[in-house]
Amino acid sequence: MRNKFFTTLLFLSLVLNVSVWAETGASPQTNTLAQSETDAGHGEHGTGNGHQETASAHGEAGDDLPLWSVIPFVLILLSIALLPLISHTTEHWWENNNNKLLLSLALGGVSFGILMAHSWGGKIFHTMVFDYIPFIILLAALFYISGGIVLKGDIEATPVNNTIFLIVGTFLASFIGTTGASMLLIRPLLKTNSERKHVVHTVIFFIFLVSNIGGSLTPLGDPPLFLGYLQGVPFVWTFKLFPEMILASGILLVIYFIWDTIMHGKETKKDIRYDHSHRQPIGLEGQVNLIWLLGVILSVAFLNQNYIPAIAEHPFLGFIREAVLIGLIALSKVTSDPKLREKNKFTLGPIQEVAYLFIGIFLTMIPALLLLEHHGKELGITERWQFFWVTGGFSGVLDNAPTYLTFLSLAKGLLGFSNVTQILADPVGEELLKAISVGAVFMGALTYIGNAPNFMVKSVAEENKIKMPSFGGYVVYSFLLLVPTFLLLTWIFFL
């Protein structure tokens, strides 16, 4: 574990060096823009250090990109989807995180070259320094600290108990973030179901509800909403998304309960008796980590330019938050009994996998985001339901934070507004903001890469010997279960 920890630190250092190279290799005009743009900040997908780059700034900073520049992004998605399936050899090769890093750097390097050739070095610098590094540090803090919290005991893995688990996690996600809730609860849920053979569906619904839809009630829940908060959306405004959240969650929880009841009936009588006879009272160990977890939440909420205005003028000051998060990781390490993480079967493998894959995803998606920002108006989006589906569709495969900002800018332009206050003061504008917010948050559940905790939950489940669906297999689940749910939401709320 120690070797993996130092490997990850070395990897982050490499990322920073590559990013500085991109910055120094960019044109002076690009560098000036990168330093002068105002910042909206990001949540779990980048947490508010950097600069919010507008479409007009992009137009000045670099050349328009050809459509074929998205090929590396398509290839990295296909690699995630197909390499575990093509053959036993490719499956075995893909299991090694170092191979994921090699592929990620190779395809990311192609996008790096394309972007540099079109004078987008400043955008690379912004993405890797102000988006990727804060993104990984925040995930690492939530992952490591929650790994020191042990939910003792073992309740029966009945459909009722599993559904209660999902309900608690769904509502908790809005207050400690989808990543925080996912990492806090996935291991206890897996332990509870360790006596059962049919567990995959439980993990999939956990990703739907806890890792995504549940994060819709506060800006702390999911990155796009935190972006909106930094843009001027009041903290409590997101409670207006409660009807959409409760309907989507209710539908999925009912489906889950029926499904789990059927699958519970397929378990052997021996396993059911074993589960019943090995019940243990619920308890909690590692409570000190709850303090450090609260510190992470407060850091994200308050160590940003809303409370430290100087960050807007000097963006690198924003890294005080990342320094605090690293300090909280260190406090968790020195104040926690190492045996707690052993009880959780904790390893750095899942966070290492996310760090390695997402460097390629962050680099290769830059051309896709730039093309979307430059040509979004050509999509002809004017209605609420269109904002809901197009924002959500792109959020399923791109970083939902900049996607949210892109379509928020599109909505402002459509209505002739210049700020979020005007949007909220207009009934039509507020409805568009609801559609954008719900689409960005809910549809992150469509793929494993739609939201960071999706992949982390998958990795933790696989570490616990649960054979999760491939990328394509998961998409089948999401299309069969989520798309009908989202169609109903469209009919009720967005038509």
Side-chain angles (χ1 to χ4, degrees):
M1 184 182 297
R2 182 178 299 175
N3 289 337
K4 285 187 176 181
F5 180 74
F6 285 114
T7 299
T8 303
L9 284 180
L10 182 62
F11 169 68
L12 289 175
S13 175
L14 173 64
V15 170
L16 184 57
N17 288 331
V18 169
S19 303
V20 171
W21 176 33
E23 174 71 349
T24 55
S27 66
Q29 179 191 28
T30 303
N31 294 338
T32 302
L33 278 166
Q35 291 298 324
S36 64
E37 292 162 345
T38 57
D39 179 21
H42 293 172
E44 288 170 313
H45 282 258
T47 52
N49 277 340
H51 325 283
Q52 177 203 343
E53 297 182 311
T54 63
S56 61
H58 286 159
E60 296 169 4
D63 303 328
D64 200 7
L65 292 164
L67 287 176
W68 57 263
S69 62
V70 303
I71 290 176
F73 180 64
V74 173
L75 289 177
I76 201 167
L77 295 184
L78 289 175
S79 298
I80 295 170
L82 299 178
L83 284 178
L85 299 177
I86 293 174
S87 68
H88 179 73
T89 301
T90 59
E91 179 185 18
H92 180 70
W93 185 88
W94 187 249
E95 289 173 355
N96 188 319
N97 282 335
N98 290 330
N99 292 332
K100 294 185 178 77
L101 175 60
L102 288 173
L103 179 72
S104 192
L105 289 176
L107 292 174
V110 174
S111 290
F112 180 92
I114 295 170
L115 290 164
M116 291 296 290
H118 288 80
S119 302
W120 284 106
K123 178 62 176 175
I124 299 172
F125 178 79
H126 170 272
T127 299
M128 302 315 295
V129 173
F130 291 108
D131 291 348
Y132 175 78
I133 290 176
F135 162 79
I136 288 299
I137 291 175
L138 176 59
L139 290 185
L142 291 167
F143 178 75
Y144 190 83
I145 293 170
S146 63
I149 301 171
V150 178
L151 188 62
K152 296 188 300 181
D154 188 3
I155 60 176
E156 279 190 85
T158 64
V160 170
N161 287 339
N162 282 340
T163 302
I164 291 173
F165 245 117
L166 294 181
I167 291 172
V168 170
T170 299
F171 283 94
L172 192 61
S174 283
F175 300 95
I176 67 170
T178 52
T179 299
S182 297
M183 292 300 98
L184 186 64
L185 294 179
I186 184 59
R187 291 185 183 88
L189 180 63
L190 294 177
K191 181 180 179 182
T192 294
N193 285 269
S194 59
E195 294 87 1
R196 289 183 53 176
K197 299 291 191 303
H198 304 287
V199 184
V200 170
H201 67 286
T202 297
V203 180
I204 290 172
F205 277 88
F206 185 93
I207 293 174
F208 291 168
L209 291 160
V210 182
S211 301
N212 290 278
I213 294 172
S216 54
L217 293 185
T218 78
L220 298 177
D222 214 44
L225 303 184
F226 188 73
L227 272 179
Y229 167 63
L230 293 178
Q231 285 275 302
V233 177
F235 192 91
V236 297
W237 180 85
T238 46
F239 280 108
K240 292 187 177 183
L241 305 180
F242 181 77
E244 291 86 347
M245 191 273 268
I246 200 67
L247 179 60
S249 300
I251 291 170
L252 292 172
L253 285 166
V254 169
I255 294 172
Y256 171 76
F257 179 77
I258 295 171
W259 191 328
D260 197 47
T261 300
I262 294 171
M263 301 310 290
H264 188 264
K266 293 183 178 182
E267 302 289 346
T268 65
K269 292 182 179 180
K270 178 181 178 182
D271 288 338
I272 296 299
R273 286 196 301 268
Y274 186 84
D275 186 25
H276 179 77
S277 63
H278 283 75
R279 290 175 299 172
Q280 297 176 357
I282 294 295
L284 195 66
E285 289 183 304
Q287 292 93 328
V288 68
N289 285 293
L290 294 174
I291 299 174
W292 313 137
L293 192 61
L294 177 62
V296 173
I297 297 164
L298 294 176
S299 297
V300 172
F302 296 110
L303 295 181
N304 55 66
Q305 69 176 36
N306 276 11
Y307 295 91
I308 308 175
I311 292 176
E313 295 295 325
H314 307 284
F316 281 98
L317 286 176
F319 279 101
I320 187 174
R321 178 184 53 249
E322 278 61 55
V324 170
L325 294 178
I326 292 171
L328 291 169
I329 293 174
L331 285 171
S332 175
K333 182 174 180 60
V334 300
T335 59
S336 303
D337 186 339
K339 292 181 180 178
L340 295 176
R341 289 186 172 82
E342 291 178 10
K343 290 180 181 179
N344 272 334
K345 300 178 181 178
F346 177 89
T347 74
L348 293 175
I351 190 63
Q352 189 181 43
E353 180 179 15
V354 170
Y356 289 178
L357 279 176
F358 272 81
I359 185 176
I361 291 170
F362 267 65
L363 278 169
T364 59
M365 77 180 177
I366 293 175
L369 285 170
L370 290 175
L371 286 167
L372 179 59
E373 289 174 12
H374 286 176
H375 303 287
K377 290 184 179 180
E378 298 170 14
L379 297 174
I381 303 168
T382 58
E383 304 294 332
R384 285 180 297 170
W385 68 270
Q386 292 173 319
F387 275 95
F388 171 62
W389 279 98
V390 178
T391 303
F394 280 110
S395 294
V397 293
L398 298 174
D399 187 343
N400 59 1
T403 302
Y404 170 94
L405 276 186
T406 298
F407 287 100
L408 177 58
S409 296
L410 187 60
K412 287 189 288 188
L414 177 68
L415 299 171
F417 296 151
S418 60
N419 58 57
V420 170
T421 302
Q422 292 172 307
I423 286 273
L424 293 173
D426 181 80
V428 174
E430 185 173 37
E431 289 302 313
L432 290 182
L433 181 59
K434 285 183 179 179
I436 293 167
S437 301
V438 174
V441 175
F442 285 21
M443 294 200 199
L446 288 175
T447 72
Y448 278 136
I449 67 167
N451 203 14
N454 302 3
F455 225 107
M456 296 176 75
V457 168
K458 172 182 177 290
S459 295
V460 172
E462 288 174 338
E463 278 196 335
N464 282 267
K465 310 304 180 186
I466 295 171
K467 188 171 179 57
M468 292 295 292
S470 66
F471 187 95
Y474 175 87
V475 170
V476 171
Y477 276 98
S478 69
F479 269 65
L480 290 176
L481 295 167
L482 294 179
V483 170
T485 303
F486 296 154
L487 287 171
L488 181 60
L489 288 180
T490 304
W491 181 65
I492 294 174
F493 297 108
F494 303 124
L495 286 179

